[in-house]
Amino acid sequence: MAYRAGRERQGAARIAARIVTAIVAGYAILYFVSDALGLALVSAQWTTRADAVLIATNLAFLLAPAVVIWVFAAGSMWRAVGLPFVVAALLMALAGVLQP
Amino acid sequence: MKRTFTLSMAWLHSWAGLFFAWLLFGILFTGAIAVFHAEVTYWVTPEMRGQVHDDRDKAIEVGRAYLEEHAPDARLWRLTLPSEREPVVKVYWRDEKGNGTTRRLQPDTGETIQRETRGGGFFIDYHYMINLSRKDIALGPVGLWIVGMAGIVMLVACISGIVVHKRIFRDLFLFRPGASRHRSWLDAHNVLSVLPLPFHIIIVYTGLVTLYWLYVPAGINSLYAGSEDAFRREAISQHYVSLLDAPPPGPPAPMMSLPAINRQAEAQFGAGKTAYLTMRDPNRANAMVEAFRTRADRVTQQVEQIAYRGIDGRQIRIVEHSTATKIQSFVAAIHFVEWGGAVIRWAYFLVGLAAAAMVATGLVVFTAKRETKRGAPPWLRLVQAVNVASVAGLCIACAVFFWAERLTPADLPARAGVPVKFFFLSWLACLAHAALRPPHCAWREQFALAAFLCFAAPMLGGQGWLHLISWDTTRLFFDLTFWIFGAVFAFLFFKVKGTPTRSVHRHELVA
């Protein structure tokens, strides 16, 4: 059965790391994608800031379940835990650059 | 994380499903009830009578007279006109500290309905923030975040569920009620998941869209310097009146006749289409009266609104919304279902219940799969207790809420909070009961209690069958629905009998 750990070398710590990644990095990616996209829409003068916030945030929601699935599907711990935090950090940096 | 993608998704579906199902069942069940929030409020208020009140001018005068007497110094009034769903005048005002008060009045006589109730509003508040109001909690919108997270997990469970049950569309036609306990619950789980899957996904996403700026305040922090007020004034502006930074009120000056202002508004909205009026700084030189159109006949959450100067009724402004806001308002309206009338509401109610039942059967499958001949893991006992409480216990708590509404005296001070306390206390009692009894006994006993509560609810509080004589169809359908729920719980009481562990896994041993 899939739920029986052990053979797959899924210690409690590894599972905990994935759960923390899904929550923390998952929310960070959701947050900074909507942040960066919203700022980009404003600085490109495509929309008003109210619409930019609206469009960016509601599109970012679509990404959130995909991130969670990625975290629990990825084979290695680097891909499951490391990569999401790196992506979140890059998005944070991007949003920082775009700040007016 | 497992050897294959499918196995990883099976793991995720089982475990994320388990922990969030405990939360999601309640969110989905109360959400289904909240579709009928106005009808719930109507049912718990015997003083409301289902007659059509055509005299809208009189209703407005009644509301204004009450507000002038009881809240002359308030800087914000709201006057909600009687509607088909809620045939009363609702008046609301906000004091200097920002605390609101609502009173309900009979539209023809102006008589105050003494009974204070949260009614259907409680189910809305439970549905979107587990009744944890932002005002009550120093930490911020915790309840809202928990529900938002549960929403994302439900999307994850929908997607991983499709991956796990690849043959799901073929299996759809395999309902094997006699096959084995585990199999028939699994089939039920699949039927409840697959057919309404588009609804499940849409309802979660639209739910996130309704309050997007609270879930992810990135844009507010970056583009509005962290000021939610500034964002709301610009992007939503709908009800939002910040009185804290408003200029002081002008000198006293009589306001124009409100029915006359409303007639101006209805000339643009259509006759009888004003839902409510708000008055800022009423009876002052700077008074502003704003009329809001009903949502009942349009799929939009941000209704048309027209503002008039209070002293002479001159139109000041019409709020125009951007295309993006109109789309958001449309998407949010798909979630709120204030449109579409009774047929759409019943459809939402039934599919919402299907979603709740999907979650409940998922919990049963989780435990049934892990109860083998060789016994069950020790922690399963705990899971089963929480399963019973979060499903059957929550149904009992909802029924108890209605009982408390019926049995609490109408004139009790701070009455509105009493049924809510009964809701949470009875739920806690169900958890204790489930922890003390063997699982199948706990299921049976709680379903029996739920059935009894639902069968008896229409008979409480001396209501009797008066509405049969007056042919009050809302109350009749409400009572009938209680009985159907009673019958479903009674059916479940008979279905969950005996100890099933012996025959469970014949199928799995072969496979």
Side-chain angles (χ1 to χ4, degrees), chain A residues 65 68-73, chain B residues 1-2 6-18 153 156-157 160 164:
Chain A
V68 176
I69 285 176
W70 170 268
V71 169
F72 287 97
Chain B
M1 69 187 273
K2 301 289 173 184
T6 308
L7 285 176
S8 300
M9 289 300 103
W11 185 92
L12 183 60
H13 190 77
S14 304
W15 289 97
L18 174 72
V153 173
V156 169
S160 57
V164 174

Side-chain angles (χ1 to χ4, degrees), chain B residues 61-175:
Chain B
E61 293 293 6
V62 155
R64 180 174 179 176
Y66 187 93
L67 286 163
E68 282 184 344
E69 191 187 335
H70 292 88
D73 299 323
R75 297 195 62 188
L76 175 73
W77 290 351
R78 186 165 70 227
L79 195 163
T80 309
L81 283 125
S83 66
E84 213 176 303
R85 296 176 77 191
E86 284 189 88
V88 287
V89 178
K90 269 195 287 193
V91 289
Y92 167 93
W93 66 90
R94 217 184 276 169
D95 63 20
E96 294 93 78
K97 289 178 209 128
N99 297 320
T101 312
T102 303
R103 289 279 179 274
R104 296 179 292 172
L105 315 170
Q106 298 290 6
D108 36 11
T109 60
E111 193 187 333
T112 314
I113 297 176
Q114 206 175 11
R115 182 186 301 269
E116 285 176 37
T117 179
R118 283 174 67 184
F122 168 69
F123 291 99
I124 296 176
D125 289 347
Y126 189 92
H127 172 66
Y128 85 97
M129 57 179 185
I130 340 177
N131 199 41
L132 299 171
S133 168
R134 281 211 278 176
K135 282 185 191 149
D136 303 338
I137 296 173
L139 287 167
V142 176
L144 198 94
W145 284 334
I146 295 171
V147 174
M149 195 161 143
I152 300 281
V153 173
M154 184 161 155
L155 288 176
V156 169
C158 284
I159 296 163
S160 57
I162 298 169
V163 174
V164 174
H165 310 283
K166 283 199 198 73
R167 295 171 305 155
I168 207 159
F169 295 97
R170 205 196 68 193
D171 286 354
L172 186 59
F173 302 101
L174 280 177
F175 185 52

Side-chain angles (χ1 to χ4, degrees), chain B residues 43 399 402-403 406 452-461 479 482-483:
Chain B
W43 190 86
F402 285 105
W403 272 58
R406 266 294 145 84
F452 165 73
L453 291 171
C454 287
F455 277 127
M459 266 89 91
L460 294 170
D479 291 352
F482 263 124
W483 282 359

Side-chain angles (χ1 to χ4, degrees), chain B residues 256-332:
Chain B
M256 215 188 130
S257 139
L258 291 180
I261 292 181
N262 182 50
R263 273 195 294 274
Q264 279 191 59
E266 293 200 350
Q268 299 194 36
F269 294 157
K273 297 292 186 192
T274 303
Y276 56 92
L277 305 167
T278 62
M279 278 70 68
R280 288 193 217 176
D281 291 323
N283 290 328
R284 301 277 177 167
N286 62 329
M288 185 177 93
V289 181
E290 196 153 17
F292 291 76
R293 197 184 183 284
T294 177
R295 294 190 180 92
D297 56 353
R298 285 186 190 173
V299 190
T300 178
Q301 206 52 28
Q302 303 236 352
V303 288
E304 288 166 55
Q305 55 191 80
I306 307 171
Y308 301 92
R309 200 153 68 186
I311 45 167
D312 57 3
R314 250 188 65 191
Q315 189 171 312
I316 303 173
R317 62 164 189 178
I318 297 175
V319 174
E320 284 288 334
H321 295 295
S322 69
T323 310
T325 307
K326 281 180 188 154
I327 293 170
Q328 190 270 345
S329 155
F330 171 78
V331 174

Side-chain angles (χ1 to χ4, degrees), chain B residues 137-416:
Chain B
I137 296 173
L139 287 167
V142 176
L144 198 94
W145 284 334
I146 295 171
V147 174
M149 195 161 143
I152 300 281
V153 173
M154 184 161 155
L155 288 176
V156 169
C158 284
I159 296 163
S160 57
I162 298 169
V163 174
V164 174
H165 310 283
K166 283 199 198 73
R167 295 171 305 155
I168 207 159
F169 295 97
R170 205 196 68 193
D171 286 354
L172 186 59
F173 302 101
L174 280 177
F175 185 52
R176 293 157 287 195
S180 76
R181 204 174 73 111
H182 158 210
R183 270 285 149 195
S184 58
W185 283 117
L186 184 59
D187 288 344
H189 180 64
N190 290 346
V191 169
L192 292 163
S193 312
V194 175
L195 280 182
L197 188 70
F199 176 87
H200 297 336
I201 291 172
I202 287 168
I203 207 72
V204 177
Y205 180 71
T206 55
L208 292 168
V209 170
T210 54
L211 294 170
Y212 63 96
W213 68 94
L214 291 176
Y215 295 117
V216 185
I220 292 177
N221 290 339
S222 294
L223 290 163
Y224 289 86
S227 166
E228 195 193 325
D229 285 1
F231 172 73
R232 290 180 69 140
R233 266 196 298 277
E234 204 169 292
I236 301 141
S237 76
Q238 189 183 17
H239 306 279
Y240 199 69
V241 184
S242 179
L243 296 174
L244 297 174
D245 51 3
M255 260 190 327
M256 215 188 130
S257 139
L258 291 180
I261 292 181
N262 182 50
R263 273 195 294 274
Q264 279 191 59
E266 293 200 350
Q268 299 194 36
F269 294 157
K273 297 292 186 192
T274 303
Y276 56 92
L277 305 167
T278 62
M279 278 70 68
R280 288 193 217 176
D281 291 323
N283 290 328
R284 301 277 177 167
N286 62 329
M288 185 177 93
V289 181
E290 196 153 17
F292 291 76
R293 197 184 183 284
T294 177
R295 294 190 180 92
D297 56 353
R298 285 186 190 173
V299 190
T300 178
Q301 206 52 28
Q302 303 236 352
V303 288
E304 288 166 55
Q305 55 191 80
I306 307 171
Y308 301 92
R309 200 153 68 186
I311 45 167
D312 57 3
R314 250 188 65 191
Q315 189 171 312
I316 303 173
R317 62 164 189 178
I318 297 175
V319 174
E320 284 288 334
H321 295 295
S322 69
T323 310
T325 307
K326 281 180 188 154
I327 293 170
Q328 190 270 345
S329 155
F330 171 78
V331 174
I334 289 175
H335 195 90
F336 281 106
V337 267
E338 298 291 340
W339 48 276
V343 174
I344 297 288
R345 274 194 282 280
W346 276 102
Y348 268 68
F349 179 66
L350 292 174
V351 197
L353 289 176
M358 163 185 81
V359 167
T361 51
L363 285 171
V364 175
V365 171
F366 181 96
T367 50
K369 269 174 97 170
R370 283 158 184 80
E371 264 183 332
T372 63
K373 260 184 174 176
R374 286 157 285 157
W379 47 263
L380 199 66
R381 180 72 194 78
L382 192 69
V383 168
Q384 281 165 323
V386 183
N387 284 357
V388 175
S390 61
V391 177
L394 189 112
C395 296
I396 289 174
C398 289
V400 165
F401 178 89
F402 285 105
W403 272 58
E405 278 289 359
R406 266 294 145 84
L407 297 178
T408 311
D411 53 357
L412 197 76
R415 184 190 178 281

